[in-house]
Structures are given as structure tokens and as C-alpha cells.
């Protein structure tokens, strides 16, 4: 039985089960949250209450599955190393599923099982990719390892607070910061391929896109400094000024993308929109902290639904298609779903300024999220259940156009 399971097409590459788990968790967790907010349906009783359950599952559940799927696919490609063994991927999936069940049952069985499973999940991922990253002679991609270690720290910090009976939201806010850093790191690698390929398609060979390290490093440094201030003194003016500095650094980072009409190509525009949502989100947080007007929550939701949600969706559509041996999907559903995600982010942020539209805006925000990731499940589940059409046996890129 185990031998047949390990030989299934679903385990050809780690991203197949993990991207499906990420999308499935995105749909189910958000549907449960909408049911709680708008229909009065119960959520699992966990330490910290419903908001903590919601944030925990979207970050440590959905987001981590997407991160793990991408890292286990991209790192071997980046450093020309071996893919993760199938038994290890299956074990990772088991830990992820166990972590979800243990957290939702933590109000009954206590938080220790969830803490052990979710921390072990991160440790296994690090153990799988750290040797590859470290053995790379140039060590060009160690920033991914530092980001994963930071994720381990915030996961451990969350459960330390839970076990001590302290409010754990600060660790969830820190997790958002870690994800934003990881997005900047990963986007610098993906965007150079995507933008330059689009420039070649347009015949614009006189210009090229380069993710310039100084701009990227400045943006990462600002995100880290704001995240530290947000955890230590979230209402202090320092946090507000650092949020505005982060927004400015991200707007500056977008300057690398301004190369003419290539910005209107679908994949380029969607990736660019991630930075727009991130910059505006930090700007709203900064204004809210410094003036007392606006909403920190609105800014955070632009970071999560907008920047985080859109980046996960776009990356899963790029990596999750190419590494099944297929060309990128050119159908309209992808830009439509990406637009729906952005509208969902705007609707949720707008709730802070238009409380009267509460139910409508929540349906738009949550429903848009569910529709986008539900569409991913519908389109990709059949692909991941089948072998590669190009004869590939693992995580390779397209070997033969279909």
C-alpha cells in the first residue's frame, strides 16, 4: 500500500500535494471564518479565541504549505541539487495534516500536540533544504534559509505564548513580516525570469529587468525593523514611521519594473500588483499609527489578502504549472481570479472606513478569496493526479512543449 502511494503521480514533486493543501486550507479556513462572522456558526475553541484560530490557520496552515511546496521545488533547481525524497514529502504532508487537527482540537486536548507538530513541520522543511543551500559553493540563496529560521522562531514564539497563557497575536503579526520578507526574496528570482521573458516576447531586447540588490535589501531591512517595532511597541510613533519607511522602500523597489508596456503583460502585472498591495498596506498602517485615523487592521489585510494571497496564487500558477511539464496557462480565469483577490483585499480594508457595509464587504472579501483559490483547486487537481505529459519523472521544468 505504501509503495503504491509513494509511486502515485501526486508525489512526483513536493509542490503537488502541498499546493493543493494550501489552496484547500485557504478555501476551508476562509469559509469557516465567514460562517462564524456572518452566519453564527461555531469555530473550534482554541487558546486566544476565534481571531487567533483564523490567523493561525491562514498563516501556519495555508501559507506554510505554499511556502514548503515552493521551497522544496525551487531550491533544488536554484542549486542544481536533488529533489526531496518522496517519503520525506509524505511525512511532511502527514505532519501538516496532524498540525491542523491538533490546533483545532487544542481547546480539548491542550496546545502541546499542536505545538510539537507545527514546530516539527518547520524543522523537517529546514532539514530538507538547509544542506542544499549551504553546500551551494556561491551560497547565493542563503536568504531563504534565514527566512525559514525566522519562521521557525515565530512559530515557536506563538506556541510559547500560548503555553504561558499570554496573548499570541504578536507572533502572528511577526509571521506576516517574515512572509513579506520571503515574498521580496522569492519575487526577485521569479520576476527576473518572468519580466525578461516577457520583454523577449515583445521584441524589446534593448532593455532588461534586474532586481537590484540595494533596493531589495533596503526593502527587506525596513520590513524587519517595522516588524520588530510592531511586536515590541505596536502603537508607538516609531512603528508608524517605520511602516511609512517600508512603504517608501517598496515603492522605490517598484522602480525596477518600469520598463514600458511590458508592465501590462499578465504575469508581470500580477507580480507587480503584489508590491503595490504591500506598499499601500504598510502606508495605511503607518498613517493609522501616527494619526489615530484610518485602520491598522485595514493595512494588515492588504498585506495578507492582497500581497500574501496574490503572491501565493500567482507563484502556485507559475511553478505549479511549469514543473508539471506544461507551458503557462494562458486562459482568462487566472487574471480574473487575481483581480478578484485584489478586490477582496480592497473590500476588507474598506470595512474599517465603512462599517455600515460590514456584511456586504465581508462577503466580497471572503468570497473573493474562496473563489480564487477554489478555482485553483478545480483547474490543478486533475493535473496533479496525472503523470507529466512530457515524460518527466520529477520536478523538472518543461521538457517538451505540449
Amino acid at each position: 500500500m505504501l509503495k503504491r502511494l509513494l509511486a502515485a503521480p501526486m508525489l512526483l514533486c513536493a509542490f503537488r500535494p502541498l499546493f493543493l493543501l494550501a489552496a484547500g486550507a485557504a478555501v476551508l479556513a476562509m469559509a469557516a471564518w465567514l460562517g462564524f462572522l456572518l452566519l453564527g456558526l461555531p469555530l473550534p475553541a482554541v487558546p486566544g479565541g476565534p481571531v487567533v484560530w483564523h490567523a493561525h490557520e491562514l498563516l501556519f496552515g495555508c501559507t506554510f504549505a505554499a511556502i514548503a511546496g515552493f521551497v522544496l521545488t525551487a531550491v533544488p533547481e536554484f542549486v542544481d541539487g536533488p529533489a526531496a525524497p518522496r517519503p520525506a514529502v509524505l511525512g511532511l504532508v502527514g505532519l501538516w495534516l496532524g498540525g491542523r487537527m491538533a490546533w483545532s482540537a487544542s481547546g480539548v486536548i491542550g496546545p502541546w500536540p499542536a505545538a510539537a507538530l507545527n514546530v516539527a513541520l518547520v524543522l523537517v522543511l529546514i532539514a530538507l533544504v538547509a544542506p542544499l543551500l549551504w553546500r551551494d559553493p556561491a551560497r547565493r540563496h542563503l536568504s531563504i534559509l534565514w527566512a525559514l529560521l525566522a519562521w521557525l522562531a515565530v512559530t515557536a514564539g506563538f506556541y510559547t505564548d500560548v503555553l504561558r497563557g499570554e496573548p499570541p497575536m504578536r507572533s502572528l503579526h511577526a509571521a506576516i513580516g517574515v512572509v513579506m520578507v520571503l515574498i521580496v526574496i522569492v519575487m526577485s528570482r521569479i520576476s527576473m525570469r518572468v519580466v525578461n521573458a516577457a520583454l523577449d516576447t515583445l521584441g524589446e531586447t534593448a532593455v532588461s529587468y534586474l532586481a537590484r540588490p540595494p533596493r531589495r535589501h533596503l526593502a527587506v531591512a525596513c520590513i524587519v525593523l517595522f516588524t520588530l517595532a510592531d511586536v515590541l511597541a505596536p502603537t508607538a510613533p516609531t512603528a508608524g514611521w517605520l511602516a511609512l519607511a517600508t512603504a517608501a522602500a517598496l515603492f522605490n523597489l517598484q522602480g525596477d519594473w518600469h520598463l514600458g508596456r511590458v508592465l501590462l503583460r499578465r504575469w508581470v502585472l500580477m507580480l507587480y500588483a503584489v508590491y503595490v498591495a504591500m506598499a499601500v498596506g504598510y502606508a495605511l498602517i503607518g498613517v493609522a499609527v501616527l494619526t489615530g485615523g484610518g485602520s491598522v487592521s485595514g493595512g494588515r489585510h492588504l498585506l495578507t489578502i492582497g500581497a500574501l494571497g496574490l503572491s501565493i496564487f500567482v507563484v502556485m500558477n507559475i511553478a505549479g504549472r511549469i514543473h508539471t511539464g506544461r507551458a503557462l496557462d494562458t486562459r482568462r480565469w487566472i487574471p480574473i481570479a487575481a483581480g478578484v483577490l485584489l478586490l477582496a483585499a480592497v473590500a476588507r480594508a474598506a470595512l474599517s472606513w465603512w462599517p455600515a457595509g460590514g456584511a456586504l464587504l465581508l462577503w466580497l472579501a471572503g468570497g473573493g478569496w474562496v473563489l480564487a483559490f477554489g478555482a485553483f483547486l478545480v483547474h490543478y487537481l486533475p493535473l496533479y493526479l496525472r503523470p507529466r505529459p512530457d515524460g518527466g519523472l520529477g520536478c523538472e521544468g518543461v521538457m517538451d512543449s505540449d
Side-chain angles (χ1 to χ4, degrees), residues 7 18 96 143 161 180 214 222-223 241 257 279 370:
L18 290 166
W96 186 92
S143 54
D161 285 342
M180 295 301 113
C222 287
I223 294 171
W241 288 116
W257 296 66
V370 169

Side-chain angles (χ1 to χ4, degrees), residues 231-281:
V231 169
L232 298 174
T235 60
T238 301
W241 288 116
L242 285 171
L244 292 181
T246 303
L250 288 163
F251 281 125
N252 177 59
L253 188 60
Q254 293 167 39
D256 290 335
W257 296 66
H258 299 157
L259 300 170
R261 57 178 179 157
V262 70
L263 195 57
L264 299 179
R265 305 290 287 187
R266 65 154 63 185
W267 298 107
V268 179
L269 185 58
M270 286 187 286
L271 291 172
Y272 181 80
V274 170
Y275 280 142
V276 174
M278 196 185 300
V280 174

Side-chain angles (χ1 to χ4, degrees), residues 39-253:
L39 303 176
L41 300 178
L43 285 175
V46 299
V51 174
V52 171
W53 179 89
H54 166 65
H56 179 282
E57 285 309 284
L58 288 177
L59 288 167
F60 296 146
C62 165
T63 301
F64 182 79
I67 291 171
F70 174 81
V71 167
L72 289 174
T73 304
V75 167
E77 181 183 17
F78 290 162
V79 303
D80 194 23
R86 294 190 185 194
V89 174
L90 190 59
L92 202 67
V93 168
L95 282 172
W96 186 92
L97 291 170
R100 310 285 58 73
M101 291 186 286
W103 171 244
S104 289
S106 60
V108 177
I109 65 175
W112 274 108
L117 287 166
N118 282 289
V119 170
L121 181 64
V122 186
L123 286 171
V124 170
L125 177 61
I126 292 173
L128 288 171
V129 300
L132 298 178
L133 292 167
W134 197 261
R135 285 199 298 263
D136 177 29
R139 294 182 178 171
R140 296 162 295 174
H141 308 287
L142 278 182
S143 54
I144 294 175
L145 177 58
W146 307 142
L148 291 178
L149 290 171
W151 188 269
L152 176 63
V154 297
T155 305
F158 174 86
Y159 282 105
T160 298
D161 285 342
V162 166
L163 292 167
R164 289 179 175 175
E166 299 177 3
M169 279 303 295
R170 61 179 181 176
S171 293
L172 295 171
H173 291 162
I176 295 173
V178 174
V179 176
M180 295 301 113
V181 168
L182 193 55
I183 290 172
V184 174
I185 292 170
V186 168
M187 286 260 288
S188 68
R189 290 153 175 81
I190 294 176
S191 60
M192 282 197 287
R193 296 186 182 184
V194 170
V195 178
N196 287 318
L199 286 168
D200 290 342
T201 300
L202 292 172
E204 297 185 6
T205 57
V207 294
S208 62
Y209 169 77
L210 176 64
R212 291 175 173 82
R215 288 181 168 181
R216 187 173 70 251
H217 293 164
L218 176 61
V220 167
C222 287
I223 294 171
V224 170
L225 289 173
F226 166 75
T227 301
L228 290 173
D230 191 38
V231 169
L232 298 174
T235 60
T238 301
W241 288 116
L242 285 171
L244 292 181
T246 303
L250 288 163
F251 281 125
N252 177 59
L253 188 60

